[in-house]
Amino acid sequence: MLQSQTFKIALPLLVAILIAIMPTPEGLSVNAQYFFAVFLGVIVALILEPIPAALIGLTGVAFSAAFGLVGETAKANRDWALSGFSNGVIWLIFAAFMFALGYKKSGLGKRIALLLVKALGKTSLGLGYAVAFADGILSPFMPSNTARSAGTIFPIAINIPQMFNSTPENEPRKLGAYISWVAIAATCVTSSMFLTALAPNLLAVSLVEKNAGILISWGEWFSTLALIMIPLFLLVPYITYLVYPPEQKTSPEAPAWAASELEKMGPVTKKELIMLGLGLLALVMWIFGKTIGINGTVAALVVLCLLVLTKVIDWEDVITNKAAINVFIWFATLVAMASGLKKVGYLKWAAGLISSWLAGVDPVNIVIILVVLFFLFHYLFASVTAHVVALLPLFLGIGMNLIPAEMVPSLAILLVGSLGLMGIITPYATGPSPIWYGAGYISQATWWKLGAIFGALFLASLVLLGFIIL
């Protein structure tokens, strides 16, 4: 264990040192090379996670600012180091985490899932749709798919196969394996369907704005990606039923169990109704923000204040929410690190170098190639966040070099829209994956096989969308 931890700490440092001492390539400044060395060390550390992810990002920013790798003056380096903390999207992520807490504390998230099981759970296919719909209803309001899928839906869904004596050790294919795969596949789709369904989506939108000057609103995200996400979402339980069918076809006990759980919860509470109303208020402001003149971050902060004032959550919940504060620091520092690549000129240099290899290719084909590569590169990452920070600015830069300006927004929406979908490919590709994989119903070999099948389906849908919007 100690040796493994030592390796995880040593490898990022070794990578950073090796990059730093290599001869500086033509056209790249020494400072840019040093900053890229720190940046790559941070990315490797995020993949291995020898220390908390937020501390990794903070260390990279502090080190770069202290050695003056980004700005020409001490003040410029300080301003750069703190720039991520003033980013509106980072505050939106923080506020949205409180929405997730509100759904949990009020009991509304649990009630929604149980009501769906009660209504749809008479058959195994119906149970699949109940699990998927529960995720779909919660996803616009919960930017952590781990909190949504693993924290809210998993504790309910995992009880159902056990009623039929389907356990990891005994007949996993009877029901448990089917429900597990539908749950992870559905959350991957919903994570791409809504801007606010996955925290890295919000980080990606911020990076797109910083690097390409393109602002992707909540409504623009949904109206574009819904063309493929809604059909995929509706098809996931059925396709899973065909490709990886449960042996148990009916489940009459499930609705009865859900009804008994709802009885234990009692009638709908005042807090649940308030949470429902505030969730809808946030959604309306996100969708119509441009029309009514309210910024998405401001809308989220207003609803956060209302959550506390109406006592759905307490102020103590806000200031002691370790997950939200951790993500706030983590993403703020990663935004700064990603912007640093642009400031020092590394992105321009790297994008120009790679662009020379694609020169002369048809612009539409370039977009498709970039989207496919961006998706497949996730096999190398255990973190969607690390993937976004490492690759999104670079792929955007390559596209901006090679395709007409009017096609860049389409490239941007295809790249950011792939972030949730790519979580399906491996047992470690997105936050809830280790939870559902760890339940033990699906073997590693089967997970990789199903990941390849559904990954190909999801990627093909993205490519199809690309041809539609280009």
Side-chain angles (χ1 to χ4, degrees):
M1 181 73 177
L2 183 61
Q3 288 180 334
S4 173
Q5 184 69 6
T6 302
F7 171 78
K8 288 180 178 181
I9 293 173
L11 185 60
L13 294 173
L14 182 61
V15 168
I17 291 169
L18 286 174
I19 297 296
I21 63 176
M22 288 175 64
T24 304
E26 186 179 347
L28 190 67
S29 69
V30 175
N31 249 26
Q33 180 174 346
Y34 288 162
F35 181 81
F36 178 68
V38 176
F39 178 85
L40 198 58
V42 166
I43 296 300
V44 174
L46 286 175
I47 294 170
L48 300 176
E49 245 186 276
I51 57 176
L55 180 57
I56 293 169
L58 191 59
T59 302
V61 167
F63 184 92
S64 301
F67 284 87
L69 298 182
V70 179
E72 294 183 359
T73 65
K75 182 179 181 300
N77 280 287
R78 181 207 66 186
D79 291 346
W80 164 77
L82 299 177
S83 62
F85 293 93
S86 63
N87 186 287
V89 171
I90 303 304
W91 282 97
L92 173 57
I93 295 170
F94 178 79
F97 263 79
M98 299 305 159
F99 295 4
L101 183 62
Y103 274 93
K104 182 178 180 181
K105 284 198 72 175
S106 68
L108 181 59
K110 181 179 180 180
R111 188 179 295 277
I112 289 170
L114 288 171
L115 284 170
L116 287 165
V117 171
K118 181 182 176 182
L120 302 173
K122 291 181 181 178
T123 66
S124 300
L125 181 60
L127 276 174
Y129 276 101
V131 168
F133 285 152
D135 193 291
I137 291 169
L138 295 173
S139 57
F141 313 100
M142 300 182 76
S144 167
N145 61 358
T146 304
R148 182 171 75 248
S149 182
T152 303
I153 295 170
F154 178 82
I156 297 169
I158 209 65
N159 282 308
I160 298 170
Q162 294 169 12
M163 290 189 292
F164 300 94
N165 201 27
S166 175
T167 66
E169 298 78 26
N170 180 68
E171 299 186 287
R173 287 294 304 276
K174 191 174 183 180
L175 190 58
Y178 171 72
I179 288 178
S180 296
W181 189 257
V182 169
I184 189 62
T187 207
C188 288
V189 175
T190 58
S191 294
S192 276
M193 191 185 301
F194 302 105
L195 171 60
T196 45
L198 184 69
N201 290 348
L202 295 153
L203 174 63
V205 164
S206 177
L207 294 181
V208 168
E209 186 178 2
K210 281 181 176 293
N211 288 276
I214 298 167
L215 180 61
I216 303 173
S217 69
W218 198 100
E220 289 165 338
W221 177 295
F222 179 73
S223 62
T224 304
L225 290 165
L227 293 173
I228 61 167
M229 297 305 166
I230 291 177
L232 282 177
F233 176 73
L234 294 175
L235 285 170
V236 157
Y238 183 68
I239 293 174
T240 306
Y241 195 82
L242 296 177
V243 174
Y244 195 54
E247 294 168 358
Q248 174 98 20
K249 303 301 181 184
T250 59
S251 50
E253 292 94 334
W257 170 80
S260 69
E261 290 295 308
L262 285 166
E263 192 174 336
K264 291 177 188 176
M265 288 186 72
V268 176
T269 64
K270 180 182 175 183
K271 282 189 176 182
E272 287 179 77
L273 291 173
I274 293 172
M275 185 65 234
L276 178 61
L278 292 179
L280 293 174
L281 175 63
L283 196 60
V284 168
M285 288 195 288
W286 285 336
I287 294 172
F288 301 106
K290 275 189 175 180
T291 306
I292 59 180
I294 297 180
N295 177 269
T297 300
V298 174
L301 291 175
V302 167
V303 174
L304 167 59
C305 293
L306 291 173
L307 283 171
V308 178
L309 292 171
T310 55
K311 301 189 182 303
V312 174
I313 61 175
D314 303 319
W315 182 246
E316 196 70 17
D317 293 324
V318 176
I319 60 177
T320 59
N321 191 323
K322 291 182 179 180
I325 293 171
N326 184 65
V327 168
F328 180 79
I329 296 172
W330 178 17
F331 280 21
T333 52
L334 292 182
V335 164
M337 289 298 293
S339 69
L341 283 177
K342 184 177 181 181
K343 278 181 175 290
V344 300
Y346 184 86
L347 276 182
K348 184 178 180 181
W349 174 82
L353 185 67
I354 299 172
S355 297
S356 63
W357 303 338
L358 292 171
V361 178
D362 178 74
V364 173
N365 290 335
I366 289 174
V367 171
I368 300 305
I369 289 169
L370 291 176
V371 170
V372 170
L373 289 176
F374 187 74
F375 189 97
L376 294 178
F377 267 125
H378 196 58
Y379 274 105
L380 306 177
F381 289 88
S383 162
V384 178
T385 303
H387 185 128
V388 169
V389 177
L391 297 181
L392 181 60
L394 178 61
F395 275 65
L396 271 177
I398 295 168
M400 290 165 68
N401 279 346
L402 294 172
I403 64 177
E406 61 269 19
M407 292 176 66
V408 175
S410 296
L411 170 63
I413 199 77
L414 290 170
L415 292 176
V416 298
S418 71
L419 298 176
L421 296 179
M422 62 177 62
I424 197 65
I425 58 179
T426 69
Y428 54 81
T430 191
S433 297
I435 306 299
W436 289 104
Y437 172 67
Y441 281 100
I442 305 174
S443 70
Q444 186 170 135
T446 301
W447 193 292
W448 282 84
K449 177 185 173 183
L450 290 171
I453 294 169
F454 278 74
L457 173 63
F458 292 174
L459 181 55
S461 300
L462 272 175
V463 170
L464 175 62
L465 179 63
F467 284 116
I468 293 171
I469 66 176
L470 285 170

